[in-house]
mmCIF file of all heavy atoms in Angstrom:
data_model
loop_
_atom_site.group_PDB
_atom_site.id
_atom_site.type_symbol
_atom_site.label_atom_id
_atom_site.label_comp_id
_atom_site.label_asym_id
_atom_site.label_seq_id
_atom_site.Cartn_x
_atom_site.Cartn_y
_atom_site.Cartn_z
ATOM 1 N N PHE A 1006 9.463 18.266 -0.163
ATOM 2 C CA PHE A 1006 9.723 17.299 -1.230
ATOM 3 C C PHE A 1006 10.233 18.042 -2.450
ATOM 4 O O PHE A 1006 9.612 18.972 -2.939
ATOM 5 C CB PHE A 1006 8.451 16.522 -1.594
ATOM 6 C CG PHE A 1006 8.695 15.445 -2.608
ATOM 7 C CD1 PHE A 1006 9.026 14.172 -2.201
ATOM 8 C CD2 PHE A 1006 8.608 15.711 -3.963
ATOM 9 C CE1 PHE A 1006 9.260 13.169 -3.130
ATOM 10 C CE2 PHE A 1006 8.849 14.725 -4.903
ATOM 11 C CZ PHE A 1006 9.174 13.443 -4.484
ATOM 12 N N ALA A 1028 10.187 10.367 -10.121
ATOM 13 C CA ALA A 1028 9.757 10.898 -8.820
ATOM 14 C C ALA A 1028 8.503 11.717 -9.086
ATOM 15 O O ALA A 1028 8.564 12.741 -9.759
ATOM 16 C CB ALA A 1028 10.849 11.757 -8.201
ATOM 17 N N GLU A 1029 7.369 11.223 -8.602
ATOM 18 C CA GLU A 1029 6.104 11.863 -8.967
ATOM 19 C C GLU A 1029 5.042 11.682 -7.893
ATOM 20 O O GLU A 1029 5.245 10.965 -6.911
ATOM 21 C CB GLU A 1029 5.596 11.279 -10.284
ATOM 22 C CG GLU A 1029 5.361 9.798 -10.255
ATOM 23 C CD GLU A 1029 5.020 9.206 -11.619
ATOM 24 O OE1 GLU A 1029 5.238 9.852 -12.652
ATOM 25 O OE2 GLU A 1029 4.526 8.085 -11.623
ATOM 26 N N ASP A 1030 3.888 12.326 -8.122
ATOM 27 C CA ASP A 1030 2.741 12.179 -7.232
ATOM 28 C C ASP A 1030 2.260 10.737 -7.254
ATOM 29 O O ASP A 1030 2.328 10.060 -8.278
ATOM 30 C CB ASP A 1030 1.583 13.075 -7.685
ATOM 31 C CG ASP A 1030 1.843 14.545 -7.478
ATOM 32 O OD1 ASP A 1030 2.660 14.897 -6.611
ATOM 33 O OD2 ASP A 1030 1.222 15.354 -8.198
ATOM 34 N N SER A 1031 1.751 10.288 -6.117
ATOM 35 C CA SER A 1031 1.163 8.958 -6.012
ATOM 36 C C SER A 1031 -0.280 9.004 -6.491
ATOM 37 O O SER A 1031 -0.971 9.999 -6.306
ATOM 38 C CB SER A 1031 1.199 8.495 -4.560
ATOM 39 O OG SER A 1031 0.357 7.390 -4.386
ATOM 40 N N HIS A 1032 -0.709 7.917 -7.078
ATOM 41 C CA HIS A 1032 -2.109 7.776 -7.483
ATOM 42 C C HIS A 1032 -2.803 6.744 -6.603
ATOM 43 O O HIS A 1032 -3.866 6.251 -6.945
ATOM 44 C CB HIS A 1032 -2.190 7.393 -8.960
ATOM 45 C CG HIS A 1032 -1.537 8.398 -9.853
ATOM 46 N ND1 HIS A 1032 -2.072 9.638 -10.093
ATOM 47 C CD2 HIS A 1032 -0.374 8.362 -10.533
ATOM 48 C CE1 HIS A 1032 -1.273 10.322 -10.890
ATOM 49 N NE2 HIS A 1032 -0.232 9.565 -11.171
ATOM 50 N N ASN A 1033 -2.177 6.412 -5.473
ATOM 51 C CA ASN A 1033 -2.693 5.416 -4.544
ATOM 52 C C ASN A 1033 -2.855 6.024 -3.158
ATOM 53 O O ASN A 1033 -2.148 6.962 -2.802
ATOM 54 C CB ASN A 1033 -1.734 4.216 -4.448
ATOM 55 C CG ASN A 1033 -1.580 3.512 -5.776
ATOM 56 O OD1 ASN A 1033 -2.556 3.153 -6.407
ATOM 57 N ND2 ASN A 1033 -0.349 3.320 -6.208
ATOM 58 N N ALA A 1034 -3.745 5.456 -2.381
ATOM 59 C CA ALA A 1034 -3.918 5.896 -0.993
ATOM 60 C C ALA A 1034 -2.779 5.324 -0.153
ATOM 61 O O ALA A 1034 -2.235 4.279 -0.468
ATOM 62 C CB ALA A 1034 -5.260 5.411 -0.472
ATOM 63 N N GLY A 1035 -2.396 6.051 0.880
ATOM 64 C CA GLY A 1035 -1.391 5.542 1.809
ATOM 65 C C GLY A 1035 -0.056 6.246 1.714
ATOM 66 O O GLY A 1035 0.751 6.148 2.626
ATOM 67 N N TYR A 1036 0.208 6.920 0.605
ATOM 68 C CA TYR A 1036 1.436 7.690 0.461
ATOM 69 C C TYR A 1036 1.201 8.788 -0.569
ATOM 70 O O TYR A 1036 0.295 8.700 -1.394
ATOM 71 C CB TYR A 1036 2.633 6.812 0.089
ATOM 72 C CG TYR A 1036 2.406 5.886 -1.085
ATOM 73 C CD1 TYR A 1036 2.758 6.263 -2.373
ATOM 74 C CD2 TYR A 1036 1.844 4.633 -0.908
ATOM 75 C CE1 TYR A 1036 2.552 5.429 -3.453
ATOM 76 C CE2 TYR A 1036 1.632 3.787 -1.981
ATOM 77 C CZ TYR A 1036 1.995 4.180 -3.252
ATOM 78 O OH TYR A 1036 1.779 3.342 -4.315
ATOM 79 N N ASP A 1037 1.998 9.845 -0.483
ATOM 80 C CA ASP A 1037 1.768 11.033 -1.298
ATOM 81 C C ASP A 1037 2.628 11.110 -2.552
ATOM 82 O O ASP A 1037 2.216 11.667 -3.564
ATOM 83 C CB ASP A 1037 2.014 12.286 -0.449
ATOM 84 C CG ASP A 1037 1.092 12.319 0.755
ATOM 85 O OD1 ASP A 1037 -0.132 12.341 0.552
ATOM 86 O OD2 ASP A 1037 1.601 12.302 1.894
ATOM 87 N N LYS A 1038 3.853 10.597 -2.466
ATOM 88 C CA LYS A 1038 4.790 10.632 -3.593
ATOM 89 C C LYS A 1038 5.440 9.267 -3.732
ATOM 90 O O LYS A 1038 5.473 8.475 -2.786
ATOM 91 C CB LYS A 1038 5.898 11.680 -3.376
ATOM 92 C CG LYS A 1038 5.409 13.104 -3.189
ATOM 93 C CD LYS A 1038 5.095 13.747 -4.500
ATOM 94 C CE LYS A 1038 4.778 15.232 -4.296
ATOM 95 N NZ LYS A 1038 4.507 15.905 -5.558
ATOM 96 N N ILE A 1039 5.981 9.012 -4.910
ATOM 97 C CA ILE A 1039 6.679 7.761 -5.170
ATOM 98 C C ILE A 1039 7.915 8.067 -6.013
ATOM 99 O O ILE A 1039 7.894 8.993 -6.835
ATOM 100 C CB ILE A 1039 5.750 6.751 -5.885
ATOM 101 C CG1 ILE A 1039 6.449 5.403 -6.074
ATOM 102 C CG2 ILE A 1039 5.238 7.311 -7.192
ATOM 103 C CD1 ILE A 1039 5.526 4.304 -6.555
ATOM 104 N N ALA A 1040 8.969 7.302 -5.791
ATOM 105 C CA ALA A 1040 10.180 7.413 -6.597
ATOM 106 C C ALA A 1040 10.692 6.001 -6.868
ATOM 107 O O ALA A 1040 10.626 5.131 -5.992
ATOM 108 C CB ALA A 1040 11.245 8.233 -5.883
ATOM 109 N N PHE A 1050 10.014 3.539 -3.704
ATOM 110 C CA PHE A 1050 10.207 4.298 -2.475
ATOM 111 C C PHE A 1050 9.002 5.217 -2.313
ATOM 112 O O PHE A 1050 8.669 5.977 -3.228
ATOM 113 C CB PHE A 1050 11.502 5.099 -2.540
ATOM 114 C CG PHE A 1050 12.720 4.225 -2.658
ATOM 115 C CD1 PHE A 1050 13.195 3.833 -3.898
ATOM 116 C CD2 PHE A 1050 13.378 3.773 -1.525
ATOM 117 C CE1 PHE A 1050 14.302 3.016 -4.021
ATOM 118 C CE2 PHE A 1050 14.491 2.953 -1.629
ATOM 119 C CZ PHE A 1050 14.950 2.567 -2.878
ATOM 120 N N TYR A 1051 8.338 5.130 -1.159
ATOM 121 C CA TYR A 1051 7.111 5.869 -0.897
ATOM 122 C C TYR A 1051 7.372 6.985 0.107
ATOM 123 O O TYR A 1051 8.136 6.807 1.049
ATOM 124 C CB TYR A 1051 6.044 4.935 -0.330
ATOM 125 C CG TYR A 1051 5.771 3.724 -1.186
ATOM 126 C CD1 TYR A 1051 6.014 2.449 -0.715
ATOM 127 C CD2 TYR A 1051 5.269 3.863 -2.468
ATOM 128 C CE1 TYR A 1051 5.759 1.330 -1.492
ATOM 129 C CE2 TYR A 1051 5.006 2.756 -3.257
ATOM 130 C CZ TYR A 1051 5.252 1.491 -2.759
ATOM 131 O OH TYR A 1051 5.000 0.398 -3.543
ATOM 132 N N PHE A 1052 6.677 8.108 -0.098
ATOM 133 C CA PHE A 1052 6.842 9.283 0.750
ATOM 134 C C PHE A 1052 5.501 9.736 1.301
ATOM 135 O O PHE A 1052 4.530 9.851 0.558
ATOM 136 C CB PHE A 1052 7.414 10.452 -0.066
ATOM 137 C CG PHE A 1052 8.769 10.188 -0.653
ATOM 138 C CD1 PHE A 1052 8.897 9.474 -1.833
ATOM 139 C CD2 PHE A 1052 9.911 10.654 -0.032
ATOM 140 C CE1 PHE A 1052 10.148 9.226 -2.381
ATOM 141 C CE2 PHE A 1052 11.159 10.411 -0.566
ATOM 142 C CZ PHE A 1052 11.282 9.691 -1.745
ATOM 143 N N LEU A 1054 3.814 13.062 3.128
ATOM 144 C CA LEU A 1054 4.082 14.495 3.268
ATOM 145 C C LEU A 1054 3.088 15.113 4.245
ATOM 146 O O LEU A 1054 1.955 14.656 4.359
ATOM 147 C CB LEU A 1054 3.945 15.203 1.914
ATOM 148 C CG LEU A 1054 4.747 14.660 0.735
ATOM 149 C CD1 LEU A 1054 4.477 15.504 -0.504
ATOM 150 C CD2 LEU A 1054 6.220 14.611 1.040
#
Side-chain angles (χ1 to χ4, degrees):
F1006 185 90
E1029 59 187 16
D1030 290 336
S1031 165
H1032 301 289
N1033 298 308
Y1036 50 94
D1037 301 299
K1038 301 279 187 178
I1039 184 170
F1050 297 89
Y1051 305 117
F1052 299 82
L1054 306 180

